Amino acid sequence: MEIITPEQIQEWLRIDPDTDTATLNMLVSSAIDMVEYKTQRALRPYTEFNAITGVVETITPTVPESLKHAISLFVSAHFDDRAGADAAAMVAVDRLCRPFWMTGR
């Protein structure tokens, strides 16, 4: 399961499908890392040992749309300005993440 598909990011950025895919993949991964850090919330699938059943289970978190929006804004800001993101865009990313700062997984 992808949190944001390549097609969604390309549509968000209004770019052609073959445009700089390696950079886009790196930026999406970096954005997910940043949002996970800011919210202390796992967005990617992870494994967890179930002590009752004795089985290791794969947990696939549901990612709220506002966090997907934060990821998209992060990617956009860094794609448009490779030297550093616009401060206003990063404030918007923080605001989208803020409701999840204390909720954890």
Side-chain angles (χ1 to χ4, degrees), residues 1-104:
M1 174 210 136
E2 293 178 282
I3 295 170
I4 295 181
T5 67
E7 293 79 17
Q8 289 170 316
I9 285 295
Q10 291 158 351
E11 181 180 336
W12 178 268
L13 295 172
R14 297 185 177 134
I15 59 174
D16 295 326
D18 296 326
T19 303
D20 217 352
T21 55
T23 299
L24 286 177
N25 291 337
M26 183 259 312
L27 289 173
V28 168
S29 183
S30 295
I32 293 168
D33 289 345
M34 187 272 311
V35 171
E36 285 181 326
Y37 173 78
K38 285 187 174 293
T39 62
Q40 294 299 298
R41 178 186 184 112
L43 303 180
R44 296 177 177 104
Y46 61 94
T47 57
E48 187 170 86
F49 179 73
N50 184 324
I52 296 169
T53 63
V55 176
V56 174
E57 301 172 340
T58 299
I59 309 298
T60 303
T62 300
V63 180
E65 290 299 315
S66 57
L67 294 183
K68 291 180 183 181
H69 188 184
I71 291 165
S72 297
L73 279 174
F74 181 95
V75 171
S76 179
H78 287 84
F79 186 80
D80 290 341
D81 184 1
R82 310 265 172 120
D86 176 86
M90 299 315 296
V91 167
V93 169
D94 281 348
R95 286 182 179 160
L96 288 164
C97 291
R98 189 166 294 137
F100 303 96
W101 283 356
M102 300 304 290
T103 61

